[in-house]
Amino acid sequence: MHPLATMTKEEAHGIEGLLFDLDDTLLTRGTLTRAAYDALWDLHDAGKRLVVVTGRPTRWGAMLATQWPIDAATTENGAIAIIREDKRVLVVDTCSVAERTRRRAALMALADDVRKRAPDVTLADDASLRVSDITWDIGEHVTIARDRIAFVESIILEHGARRSCSSVHLHATFDGDDKATGTVRLLGERFGVDVGAARTRWAFAGDSGNDRACFAAFATTFGVANVRASLGALSVPPRYVAPSAMGDGFAEIARALLK
């Protein structure tokens, strides 16, 4: 990782849009600070495209696309796309209704198994708002020990599901997308950007293990300072790291892109 200040003006000016995580990247322990929100508007006013890339629920993404100065979002770790077209917000799920219903039933069976075998690990507050995955709170309101997380992960694998961890949630899904594949597909459909152009003309900012796919996929990547706690879970670290954590770090990244 390199200090954010070492990014050249040429690299910054070549970035067409910024992809960014929510929890502990834009948000500071769940709160959108004035500095981070002002940074979003500064990027928007400068003509940068903005896409949220989050593990949070689809309903969150639809609300944010309605209210924030963003162009689109990928939610639930890449499974569901949210596209803003003027005043309309479109929710795009590539899975058929029948298959989505089948997968949802399998997720409910998985959640019930975890409830019986690991009752100390409880569902996240936003679990009922989700379409493609199920989540447990491991760091948002409670702190779950690593061995208990590993036990729930083993149950997820027993059910044939995929799992990933953010700084706040443990996710389980039967969908195949990750943050990078879902986002690159969105960029192609929404902005007509091919894979090669997406890698070099779009940057990504994140903080945790479930951002690993995006840190590996894009050439210009940023970590807020708290990403250091997740380096062991990342095969490729972010190229640049901001001096500050969370929302303050996001504001520093925005200033670096606009310098």
Side-chain angles (χ1 to χ4, degrees):
M1 295 191 300
H2 304 287
L4 180 60
T6 64
M7 181 174 62
T8 66
K9 287 185 178 181
E10 291 74 20
E11 185 173 4
H13 290 168
I15 298 302
E16 177 180 320
L18 180 64
L19 315 163
F20 58 94
D21 174 56
L22 287 180
D23 287 291
D24 296 338
T25 298
L26 178 74
L27 304 179
T28 301
R29 298 182 182 88
T31 297
L32 179 62
T33 63
R34 184 187 300 272
Y37 197 51
D38 284 349
L40 275 185
W41 276 104
D42 289 342
L43 290 164
H44 172 271
D45 291 346
K48 300 292 186 185
R49 298 287 195 176
L50 298 171
V51 176
V52 169
V53 182
T54 182
R56 287 292 185 172
T58 294
R59 293 183 187 177
W60 272 45
M63 181 193 70
L64 300 183
T66 301
Q67 298 181 346
W68 289 8
I70 61 175
D71 298 280
T74 54
T75 60
E76 302 183 18
N77 289 321
I80 312 291
I82 310 293
I83 299 173
R84 181 174 179 172
E85 293 185 347
D86 297 323
K87 295 182 179 180
R88 295 184 65 202
V89 173
L90 306 178
V91 177
V92 181
D93 184 359
T94 58
C95 189
S96 70
V97 173
E99 178 61 15
R100 180 60 68 208
T101 300
R102 187 195 69 78
R103 292 181 187 181
R104 196 68 202 167
L107 285 172
M108 293 303 97
L110 167 55
D112 189 54
D113 195 15
V114 171
R115 180 184 59 80
K116 293 174 181 176
R117 297 166 63 183
D120 55 314
V121 183
T122 58
L123 291 175
D125 287 350
D126 64 11
S128 63
L129 304 177
R130 295 177 173 276
V131 173
S132 68
D133 69 353
I134 195 78
T135 51
W136 293 268
D137 185 350
I138 60 170
E140 186 171 22
H141 302 300
V142 296
T143 300
I144 302 298
R146 182 60 238 178
D147 65 320
R148 298 301 292 161
I149 296 173
F151 178 58
V152 176
E153 287 178 324
S154 71
I155 299 174
I156 293 170
L157 294 177
E158 284 177 20
H159 282 253
R162 297 171 55 245
R163 88 286 192 204
S164 62
C165 281
S166 71
S167 57
V168 293
H169 292 157
L170 170 61
H171 300 254
T173 184
F174 291 99
D175 281 56
D177 278 311
D178 56 34
K179 283 188 171 185
T181 59
T183 299
V184 169
R185 183 174 63 247
L186 169 65
L187 293 180
E189 294 173 353
R190 175 67 177 87
F191 303 109
V193 180
D194 64 31
V195 174
R199 183 178 184 277
T200 57
R201 288 164 45 196
W202 289 73
F204 174 78
D207 78 291
S208 65
N210 72 330
D211 295 322
R212 66 169 64 86
C214 286
F215 284 137
F218 297 94
T220 301
T221 57
F222 306 101
V224 288
N226 44 296
V227 75
R228 292 187 175 90
S230 298
L231 290 179
L234 301 176
S235 56
V236 178
R239 184 170 185 179
Y240 301 106
V241 63
S244 301
M246 305 186 194
D248 287 341
F250 181 87
E252 291 166 349
I253 292 166
R255 287 194 293 271
L257 284 171
L258 299 177
K259 67 183 177 182

